[in-house]
Amino acid sequence: MLTGSELLAKIKDLGDMNKSDLVRECGYIKGEKLCFTQFYEALLEAKGIELSPTKKLGRKLSHKAKVQFNGNLMVGSAYIEQMGFKPGDAFEIKINRNTITLTAA
């Protein structure tokens, strides 16, 4: 299976060829099966477009929180992780009419 500049050069050399033959000529075949997905992923990477795996966080974040029985308002760890905050980071709290704004200090 060709990758990187070798893949791009081969595609350029082959010119106008149907997709199946192009995938086959570049080596993206396992037995009788053509590997189109692997071919296109390698092509995107060769052109400088990196595909990163999507991270699953479990359930979707609702962007809603409730005041707890003791008066505390908890921000879930998924939000903290998504924003890249770490233990010890400081925040400024601004209170407006109907909003509270939390800003990294």
Side-chain angles (χ1 to χ4, degrees):
M1 294 182 185
L2 299 176
T3 59
S5 59
E6 292 176 334
L7 177 61
L8 294 175
K10 182 73 168 183
I11 291 170
K12 190 173 182 177
D13 289 344
L14 294 173
D16 292 333
M17 182 179 276
N18 72 46
K19 293 174 189 172
S20 296
D21 290 338
L22 188 61
V23 170
R24 186 177 291 110
E25 289 293 321
C26 291
Y28 288 86
I29 186 167
K30 288 185 181 175
E32 299 287 321
K33 183 181 173 189
L34 295 173
C35 304
F36 283 96
T37 302
Q38 285 180 311
F39 171 76
Y40 287 118
E41 286 176 353
L43 182 57
L44 287 171
E45 285 184 23
K47 290 189 173 201
I49 302 170
E50 289 193 34
L51 300 174
S52 58
T54 56
K55 184 177 180 183
K56 295 184 180 180
L57 296 174
R59 64 184 177 151
K60 283 188 172 184
L61 300 178
S62 67
H63 299 288
K64 292 182 182 179
K66 292 183 180 180
V67 176
Q68 297 178 349
F69 70 94
N70 60 1
N72 289 339
L73 181 64
M74 182 180 289
V75 177
S77 62
Y79 298 105
I80 303 301
E81 185 179 309
Q82 186 176 14
M83 295 300 296
F85 299 131
K86 297 189 176 32
D89 286 350
F91 296 90
E92 182 180 327
I93 300 171
K94 291 183 182 177
I95 300 172
N96 295 320
R97 185 173 176 201
N98 291 323
T99 62
I100 296 174
T101 305
L102 189 63
T103 308

